[in-house]
Amino acid sequence: MPTNLLGEPTPTLLPEDHPDVPARAALEAGEDPRAVAARFPAASLAWATLARAALEAGDPVAAYAFARTGYHRGLDALRRAGWRGAGPVPAAHAPNRGFLLSVLALADAAAAIGEDDEAVRCRKLLDDSDPTAREVLAAGR
């Protein structure tokens, strides 16, 4: 990665071989999200997909658990990619989207169960990661 002379953190990009890549292909091919999550447990995208489906089915507790799993798997991957807990995580980079979708689903699930502080914290993390994330993710959902 290039050196940033302004002192701002360099954007973190998950690698092109991140488990979200084959998970996305499997989901787009119509595979069951539970099977995809079982086959690619490190794929935040699979967990985010399960979380969104649980929210749509009216089960915010399951959604919270699925989203929390995707969030933590994404944090692990970001840390391995050099992220130190702050700085850009661009939504335009496809492998980053599973983590960001997990954060968004976690915010929505937290709000649905009345955990307002968590919902606010997750939305702030999403906005801090990429101010355009909500727009990018809404377009790709």
Side-chain angles (χ1 to χ4, degrees), residues 66-126:
F66 289 137
R68 174 78 54 198
T69 301
Y71 166 80
H72 281 288
R73 297 311 299 255
L75 287 178
D76 292 344
L78 286 169
R79 287 183 185 125
R80 282 191 302 275
W83 191 68
R84 299 290 174 244
V89 180
H93 182 65
N96 288 355
R97 287 188 204 134
F99 167 72
L100 297 170
L101 284 165
S102 292
V103 173
L104 180 58
L106 185 56
D108 293 345
I113 63 173
E115 195 175 357
D116 297 331
D117 289 346
E118 177 77 349
V120 168
R121 185 188 69 75
C122 289
R123 287 190 178 101
K124 180 172 178 6
L125 173 60
L126 187 65

Side-chain angles (χ1 to χ4, degrees), residues 21-92:
V21 175
R24 177 176 298 281
L27 292 166
E28 288 175 353
E31 287 190 42
D32 175 54
R34 286 179 181 267
V36 175
R39 195 168 68 216
F40 303 105
S44 293
L45 181 61
W47 298 107
T49 301
L50 289 168
R52 189 57 56 195
L55 280 168
E56 290 170 4
D59 190 353
V61 173
Y64 187 92
F66 289 137
R68 174 78 54 198
T69 301
Y71 166 80
H72 281 288
R73 297 311 299 255
L75 287 178
D76 292 344
L78 286 169
R79 287 183 185 125
R80 282 191 302 275
W83 191 68
R84 299 290 174 244
V89 180

